[in-house]
Amino acid sequence: MTFSRPGGEWLLFHKDLLLVKSKTPLSLPSSEDEPLFRDRLTVSGILPPTRGSFPWGEYPGDDAPPPGYEGVGLRELWALGGEPLFHAAGTAFQMMDWKRNSRFCPRCGAPMNLADSDRAYGCPECAYMAYPILSPAVIVAVTRDDRLLLARSPHFPKGRYSVLAGFVEPGESLEETVEREIFEEVGIRVKNIAYFGSQPWPFPHSLMLGFTAEWAGGELAPDGKEIEDAGWFTPRTMPEIPPSISISRRLIEHWLAGRKE
């Protein structure tokens, strides 16, 4: 499956924001605009056909953006340009972040050279190879009878709750991560863990792996650090939940779709 947009459009970043010529209607930099930025990019590349084959680049952060451009965050881009463009820009952002952080070898400190068809950096001194970073994380919808577990992080917008999530640690299976994260954050045990789906999440380089699970024992006891509040909710008592951009919303809506209440 491929995704494409007409006009030779660019995904151009400045200070981690995507530069656009206008938001409504959404207008990206085009090939005609290249003289404004092409020779000034700090890192650049081209996305694969599955992400639209967009050329992308990073405009110097210390400089003002080219005249007539404004910055858009990736979350805002979802609403402005839709899911395919969001995923394309997210992929470009992750490659940009990896390239700008891979200039020197983490083993010996020597300058790194781009290698392997633009998907790896190699060290000419010690032969160390660096590949794009990917951080897997689980996100889990836990149910107890006809109720769904939702929790609140102190970092969430006021009033918002979501399903629980956490990063996979070295040596863990995904199922072990589900069990550990749920117990560490809210003090309960789970069973019947089942895979739900996945979502690339470019903030900055995560892969969210969705699961469902059932309560197996224990009472809710938020850890007070990652989670400040948690509860079992029915469709009638649902709090504010995450926007449709996220797999967390998909997990919640999947559960709601199976409820008659």
Side-chain angles (χ1 to χ4, degrees):
M1 180 178 179
T2 61
F3 160 61
S4 63
R5 288 170 61 94
E9 294 168 313
W10 275 74
L11 298 173
L12 185 64
F13 294 90
H14 178 253
K15 295 183 177 179
D16 291 350
L17 297 177
L18 185 71
L19 293 178
V20 301
K21 298 165 71 174
S22 72
K23 293 184 180 180
T24 52
L26 183 66
S27 177
L28 298 174
S30 69
S31 56
E32 297 177 354
D33 302 321
E34 288 188 25
L36 296 174
F37 56 79
R38 188 66 180 87
D39 294 333
R40 305 187 64 186
L41 302 180
T42 54
V43 291
S44 62
I46 298 177
L47 295 182
T50 53
R51 287 290 184 257
S53 300
F54 284 94
W56 62 265
E58 181 180 32
Y59 196 79
D62 293 336
D63 297 347
Y69 287 0
E70 60 180 317
V72 173
L74 289 180
R75 287 180 172 87
E76 184 181 4
L77 182 66
W78 178 284
L80 295 174
E83 183 174 358
L85 184 59
F86 167 80
H87 286 307
T91 302
F93 179 87
Q94 291 181 75
M95 293 301 295
M96 176 188 74
D97 188 66
W98 167 65
K99 281 192 173 184
R100 68 187 178 187
N101 292 330
S102 300
R103 294 180 299 163
F104 298 97
C105 177
R107 178 185 290 166
C108 72
M112 298 278 274
N113 296 327
L114 197 59
D116 189 25
S117 300
D118 212 31
R119 290 282 178 167
Y121 276 96
C123 177
E125 298 296 327
C126 70
Y128 178 86
M129 295 293 289
Y131 297 91
I133 297 171
L134 192 61
S135 301
V138 300
I139 185 163
V140 193
V142 181
T143 57
R144 182 176 183 178
D145 299 323
D146 60 349
R147 294 171 291 169
L148 176 68
L149 173 60
L150 296 176
R152 173 171 170 75
S153 164
H155 306 295
F156 285 177
K158 185 177 180 180
R160 180 173 296 176
Y161 284 68
S162 184
V163 292
L164 295 175
F167 286 101
V168 180
E169 293 187 352
E172 282 187 327
S173 69
L174 298 177
E175 292 79 6
E176 287 173 329
T177 304
V178 169
E179 293 175 335
R180 175 184 56 78
E181 283 290 338
I182 298 297
F183 182 74
E184 288 180 354
E185 293 188 349
V186 294
I188 64 171
R189 300 294 183 181
V190 294
K191 63 182 179 180
N192 298 332
I193 299 168
Y195 179 70
F196 173 82
S198 64
Q199 179 185 35
W201 193 243
F203 300 105
H205 41 66
S206 299
L207 175 63
M208 305 302 297
L209 301 156
F211 288 85
T212 60
E214 298 175 3
W215 173 83
E219 298 301 325
L220 294 178
D223 65 5
K225 298 178 181 178
E226 295 292 328
I227 301 299
E228 65 179 16
D229 188 39
W232 298 103
F233 293 86
T234 70
R236 292 181 180 177
T237 62
M238 292 291 287
E240 178 188 342
I241 57 177
S244 59
I245 184 176
S246 63
I247 191 173
S248 57
R249 179 63 172 259
R250 286 169 45 200
L251 280 161
I252 295 170
E253 290 183 341
H254 174 77
W255 176 77
L256 286 170
R259 307 273 73 77
K260 296 180 180 181
E261 185 178 344

